[in-house]
Amino acid sequence: MLDLNRLKALHAVHVYGSVGAAADALMVTPSAVSQQIAKLERETGATLVERNGRGVRLTDAAGLLAEHAERILALVETAEADFEALRGAVVGRINVGAFPTAARGLLPKALSLLKERHPELDVHMYEREPEQTLREVARGELDLAVAQDWLNRPLAVPEGLARKSLFDDFADVALPAGHPMAERREIELRELHADRWISTAPGTVCHDWLAFTLRSAELEPEIAFWANEYATQLALVGQGVGCAIVPRLGRDHVPANVRMVPIRPRQTRRIYALWRADAARRPAIRAAVEALIEASPTIG
């Protein structure tokens, strides 16, 4: 009889490409993963890993077993979801991921609702970039994610995932109070052709979206300052070093020396909950989605 935990360890190495990455995903030590695979080798009588420089390489036998493990683990998850649905109890553990502004502006209220209504539900929250949450939900590391995309740049959702729209968020341009256009009722981005920009780090969703959006407005952006926190971006804007586009959900306090000006056409991002379709019958998933819907703000 093949041990499920050992199959899970092998599958994780297959998916993530190394023992260390698999250990991070499973939240155990690399030694624990290696021990599980060594036991699986003894159990099957087959060599599953071979040394490859500093790392390891899975053998053909391991690849075959990992493919079967993926199907087995999916069946186990379906069985667990069906059993929870039969019991009708909101119990067990649920791992929830969210991008930073949702982790601050949405999750606290939703988690409070879950704690009040379902005290036996064990919720763990992780702050992630949107693409990372999609991958982790698809691979089963997260049970539920709060993700985002922009109307002008949709995010591709992997097969096998279900989602529920929560609300729309809007973005404004942050300008120094002394900027010539700071008191305008609205502004078109191409009017800011002479300005420098503040953004999150390259490779993040917000940075890539900003560059795409400015180029779509026939601007070649000069992004001179990188700051991942919107509060930091607004502080920089207040000192007159540049301007930034800041979603309303990501905004706590706007400094007195900053003006928020609506953009024409309106820049809209969609916020939604996302989970594996096979797990939709879990009462815990349904309860978490309901809490997210109730906690969602009205942004106008």
Side-chain angles (χ1 to χ4, degrees), residues 189-190 193 212-221:
L189 290 176
R190 63 171 170 263
H193 58 86
F212 172 82
T213 299
L214 293 178
R215 288 180 180 128
S216 298
E218 302 178 354
L219 295 177
E220 184 54 40

Side-chain angles (χ1 to χ4, degrees), residues 199-222:
S199 178
T200 57
T204 60
V205 168
C206 292
H207 178 280
D208 295 346
W209 172 81
L210 176 64
F212 172 82
T213 299
L214 293 178
R215 288 180 180 128
S216 298
E218 302 178 354
L219 295 177
E220 184 54 40
E222 183 187 357

